[in-house]
């Protein structure tokens, strides 16, 4: 894909040469004979070098291994935003073993991409002040620290001064830096800055070749480097196995179990059953989202939800389990999380109540972004079932939703994606999604490597298309078909399966995990 990267740089960076005198940088030619390196490099010997351009795109690395690491990251992001840095993208979150000085706790690492009007040395001062405000003190080099913020890239420029070196001097020897850095990019080059960043690696195929030389994707999950998702002040290694989410609907009209768990006693009993069968996550919903379902108000949803939440969160059986609330209302999400829910599962991906994005961002919890067109009343309309390439369009529309969530303050490392089986899809389209999960990841990769690495939630359980294929009108009779669909999904890359019958699907997940490990 990057065999002609140098040629691409030549075409994309011509404008940079002509605009250089207007930018206000003291241009000096690199010793490198590489054409692109010369165009992208600007060397500065003092902090007085200045940039007239009103805004520059930057990449900043984050690391923490002292105290509440997740809290430190959240605080650092908030301080950056208040200090003149607009964050546009986040890398995934990685837990890594310490390098250089090995007798210290494991690190959390990530990176952000953003824009700023701050000059490079002013940006450095801001980041150093944030480190100081979060408790970082002088200590041994590469030693423990509550927060570490490094400028990896600043626009198209290479900077060398007494105080600052950009790109960061050891960037290309550290997998825990390169992995989240690549997450900020897509497999296609989206602007001249990205072209320059690739050229700084000195490799023909850019940063991707640097990553492959370090070991590439096989490093993740081995050698002390793994992608994680923050839950509270801890992290969840979601890729270790397939996780099973058990469903309970507190509704009179849900397609599968509507009316069965309206009474508190029955609902609590079902939660206990799901846990005893091996559920890792309990997903509680008080609003039916079946096709043509009418919409409850947020207050009506809370009246159903709060009594069981208050009981379930205090159950000893919930120790070590995660609790998800299935809602598209910001008010419900706020109340549920404040009563103990860990995850917000939004079938609309923020479309039915846009305020939910800011609320979830402030709450600091994982957010499940599902693909759906319209709402439950309109999602199966002729218009909403029109696709030329269902996997490609689902991926594109999912990316739009999760990127909007990012801009609203939900880091991508807190997002789970759901392709929305049964929502705005007919039977054939559902089958295309089930067999096309790898294709969805590939499409996401074009725009964002981080998006392509996100955990996928997969929910075919007892859906109508299974009944249509198997001629089973009663949803409960669709459990064998659900197992088949779940198996296909896991083997295609699903990380979490949302099901009604936990026991059977857990066994299917274990077999799939064994098969994947074997292969």
């Amino acid at each position: 894909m990057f065999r002609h990267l140098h040629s691409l740089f030549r075409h994309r960076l011509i404008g940079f040469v002509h605009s250089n005198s207007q930018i206000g940088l003291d241009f000096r030619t690199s010793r490198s004979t590489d054409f692109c390196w010369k165009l992208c490099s600007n060397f500065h010997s003092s902090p007085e070098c200045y940039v007239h351009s009103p805004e520059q795109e930057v990449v900043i690395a984050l690391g923490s291994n002292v105290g509440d690491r997740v809290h430190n990251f959240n605080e650092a992001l908030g301080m950056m935003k208040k200090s003149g840095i607009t964050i546009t993208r986040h890398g995934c979150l990685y837990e890594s073993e310490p390098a250089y000085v090995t007798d210290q706790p494991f690190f959390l690492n990530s990176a952000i991409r953003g824009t700023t009007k701050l000059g490079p040395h002013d940006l450095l001062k801001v980041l150093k002040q944030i480190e100081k405000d979060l408790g970082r003190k002088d200590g041994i080099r590469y030693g423990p620290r509550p927060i570490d913020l490094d400028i990896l890239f600043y626009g198209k420029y290479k900077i060398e001064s007494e105080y600052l070196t950009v790109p960061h001097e050891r960037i290309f020897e550290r997998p825990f830096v390169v992995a989240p850095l690549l997450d900020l990019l897509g497999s296609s080059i989206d602007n001249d800055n990205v072209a320059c960043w690739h050229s700084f690696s000195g490799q023909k195929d850019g940063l991707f070749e640097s990553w492959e030389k370090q070991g590439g994707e096989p490093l993740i999950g081995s050698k002390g480097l793994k992608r994680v998702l923050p839950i509270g002040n801890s992290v969840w290694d979601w890729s270790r196995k397939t996780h099973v989410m058990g469903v309970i609907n507190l509704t009179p009209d849900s397609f599968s179990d509507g009316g069965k768990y309206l009474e508190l006693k029955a609902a609590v009993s079902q939660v206990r059953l799901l846990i005893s069968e091996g559920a890792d996550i309990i997903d509680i919903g008080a609003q039916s989202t079946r096709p043509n379902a009418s919409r409850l108000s947020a207050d009506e949803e809370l009246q159903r939800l709060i009594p069981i939440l208050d009981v379930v969160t205090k159950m000893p059986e919930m120790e070590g389990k995660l609790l998800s609330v299935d809602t598209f209302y910001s008010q419900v999400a706020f109340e549920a999380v404040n009563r103990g829910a860990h995850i917000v599962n939004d079938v609309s991906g923020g479309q039915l109540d846009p305020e939910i994005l800011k609320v979830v961002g402030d709450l600091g919890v994982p957010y499940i972004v599902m693909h759906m067109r319209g709402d439950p009343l309109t999602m199966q309309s002729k218009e909403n079932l029109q696709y030329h390439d269902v996997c490609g369009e689902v991926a594109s529309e999912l990316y739009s939703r999760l990127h909007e969530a990012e801009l609203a303050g939900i880091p991508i490392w807190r997002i789970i994606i759901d392709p929305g089986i049964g929502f705005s899809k007919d039977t054939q389209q559902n089958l295309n999604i089930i067999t096309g999960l790898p294709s969805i990841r590939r499409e996401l990769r074009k725009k964002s490597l981080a998006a392509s690495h996100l955990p996928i939630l997969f929910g075919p359980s007892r859906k109508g298309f299974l009944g249509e294929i198997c001629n089973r009108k009663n949803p409960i009779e669709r459990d064998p078909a659900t197992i088949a669909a779940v198996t296909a999904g896991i083997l295609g890359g699903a990380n979490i399966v949302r099901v009604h019958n936990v026991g059977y699907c857990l066994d299917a997940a274990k077999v799939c995990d064994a098969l994947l490990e074997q292969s």
Side-chain angles (χ1 to χ4, degrees):
M1 185 176 296
F2 288 88
R3 294 300 175 193
H4 304 292
L5 198 56
H6 279 25
S7 174
L8 178 60
F9 288 154
R10 286 177 182 269
H11 292 292
R12 297 205 64 161
L13 296 176
I14 294 299
F16 174 76
V17 179
H18 296 301
S19 64
N20 186 66
S21 61
Q22 301 172 7
I23 293 174
L25 286 168
D26 180 19
F27 183 84
R28 303 181 186 181
T29 303
S30 166
R31 294 181 181 178
S32 169
T33 58
D34 183 89
F35 176 82
C36 301
W37 186 274
K38 290 178 183 177
L39 290 185
C40 294
S41 298
N42 289 271
F43 291 79
H44 309 281
S45 58
S46 72
E48 284 73 27
C49 65
Y50 57 95
V51 178
H52 286 317
S53 180
E55 198 167 62
Q56 294 295 329
E57 191 169 23
V58 297
V59 174
I60 298 168
L62 300 89
S64 174
N65 75 334
V66 172
D68 186 337
R69 302 172 301 172
V70 175
H71 174 77
N72 294 341
F73 269 38
N74 291 337
E75 289 294 299
L77 293 180
M79 291 179 181
M80 281 193 270
K81 292 174 185 176
K82 292 177 181 177
S83 302
I85 303 164
T86 300
I87 298 173
T88 57
R89 291 194 184 189
H90 307 74
C92 295
L93 191 64
Y94 295 83
E95 187 170 56
S96 64
E97 62 184 8
Y100 311 117
V101 178
T102 57
D103 185 20
Q104 57 177 317
F106 274 47
F107 278 83
L108 283 188
N109 297 100
S110 191
I112 62 97
R113 181 173 166 182
T115 57
T116 184
K117 294 181 180 179
L118 296 169
H121 290 84
D122 287 335
L123 176 60
L124 178 64
K125 289 177 183 177
V126 164
L127 298 181
K128 292 301 179 187
Q129 185 61 49
I130 292 172
E131 290 179 342
K132 182 178 179 181
D133 290 345
L134 290 177
R136 182 169 177 181
K137 297 179 173 60
D138 292 336
I140 59 173
R141 194 178 189 192
Y142 309 126
R145 71 285 308 269
I147 196 70
D148 187 23
L149 303 172
D150 289 317
I151 304 171
L152 301 185
F153 294 123
Y154 185 92
K156 303 180 182 75
Y157 313 120
K158 184 172 183 180
I159 302 168
E160 290 185 3
S161 75
E162 180 182 355
Y163 305 100
L164 179 62
T165 300
V166 177
H168 192 274
E169 57 186 334
R170 308 191 80 164
I171 183 176
F172 301 115
E173 66 182 52
R174 300 174 173 178
F176 58 86
V177 174
V178 176
L181 166 60
L182 286 180
D183 288 340
L184 303 173
L185 312 178
S187 59
S188 58
I189 295 174
D190 56 7
N191 64 34
D192 291 348
N193 288 327
V194 174
C196 280
W197 300 342
H198 277 292
S199 78
F200 287 151
S201 72
Q203 304 296 329
K204 183 177 181 181
D205 287 344
L207 294 165
F208 293 94
E209 185 173 341
S210 295
W211 175 233
E212 291 303 318
K213 286 186 174 181
Q214 290 182 6
E217 188 63 21
L219 286 178
I220 308 301
S222 63
K223 294 189 176 181
L225 184 65
K226 58 186 179 182
R227 291 189 187 97
V228 293
L229 189 146
I231 303 281
N233 60 2
S234 62
V235 293
W236 177 36
D237 181 5
W238 50 266
S239 63
R240 179 173 48 86
K241 66 167 190 171
T242 301
H243 291 78
V244 178
M245 173 186 278
V247 182
I248 178 166
N249 292 302
L250 311 178
T251 57
D253 55 344
S254 289
F255 79 94
S256 174
D257 53 4
K260 293 180 66 176
Y261 309 117
L262 293 176
E263 297 296 327
L264 180 60
K265 184 177 179 180
V268 171
S269 177
Q270 180 64 10
V271 170
R272 286 200 169 98
L273 175 63
L274 296 173
I275 293 172
S276 70
E277 290 181 339
D280 303 291
I281 310 167
I282 301 297
D283 187 52
I284 302 178
Q287 172 107 231
S288 177
T289 53
R290 62 170 175 76
N292 300 310
S294 57
R295 189 184 304 187
L296 291 180
S297 69
D299 287 338
E300 290 173 311
E301 195 173 315
L302 284 169
Q303 287 175 8
R304 293 178 181 177
L305 186 64
I306 286 175
I308 188 169
L309 273 181
D310 287 346
V311 174
V312 170
T313 53
K314 297 178 177 64
M315 289 169 51
E317 295 93 333
M318 283 298 296
E319 181 70 28
K321 306 295 182 181
L322 298 176
L323 182 60
S324 167
V325 60
D326 184 353
T327 187
F328 49 73
Y329 282 128
S330 57
Q331 180 185 345
V332 176
F334 180 84
E335 289 292 337
V337 171
N338 279 295
R339 290 174 181 271
H342 304 103
I343 300 170
V344 174
N345 181 8
D346 181 0
V347 297
S348 80
Q351 295 182 98
L352 298 183
D353 181 359
E355 283 297 311
I356 199 170
L357 300 179
K358 184 180 185 307
V359 168
V360 172
D362 292 342
L363 288 170
V365 296
Y367 181 57
I368 299 172
V369 175
M370 196 192 80
H371 176 268
M372 177 176 65
R373 292 174 172 177
D375 60 26
L377 274 173
T378 64
M379 65 183 181
Q380 297 303 111
S381 69
K382 183 178 179 180
E383 179 183 1
N384 284 330
L385 293 177
Q386 292 298 314
Y387 296 91
H388 296 292
D389 170 9
V390 65
C391 290
E393 290 172 60
V394 165
S396 178
E397 291 166 26
L398 266 177
Y399 180 72
S400 295
R401 301 311 309 155
L402 69 89
H403 189 52
E404 186 171 341
E406 264 199 291
L407 295 176
I410 305 175
I412 205 166
W413 64 62
R414 286 204 267 115
I415 293 177
I416 298 165
I417 55 175
D418 180 348
I421 296 291
F423 290 80
S424 312
K425 288 108 184 158
D426 62 23
T427 294
Q428 186 58 52
Q429 291 159 352
N430 285 318
L431 294 174
N432 289 340
I433 294 292
I434 291 173
T435 58
L437 293 182
S439 174
I440 290 174
R441 286 202 189 272
R442 285 193 298 270
E443 289 298 314
L444 288 169
R445 180 181 174 86
K446 294 176 183 178
K447 297 183 178 181
S448 164
L449 266 71
S452 74
H453 295 317
L454 294 180
I456 291 179
L457 173 67
F458 184 68
S461 185
R462 299 179 179 175
K463 293 284 174 71
F465 78 100
L466 297 176
E468 181 179 324
I469 293 170
C470 301
N471 193 26
R472 300 288 185 182
K473 292 185 178 180
N474 185 345
I476 296 176
E477 295 178 356
R478 300 170 190 164
D479 282 346
T482 297
I483 293 168
V486 161
T487 298
I490 295 171
L491 295 178
N495 307 102
I496 308 165
V497 291
R498 182 179 183 273
V499 298
H500 298 85
N501 191 318
V502 167
Y504 289 162
C505 291
L506 177 60
D507 284 351
K510 288 178 178 178
V511 172
C512 290
D513 288 349
L515 289 169
L516 291 169
E517 185 175 353
Q518 182 70 24
S519 64

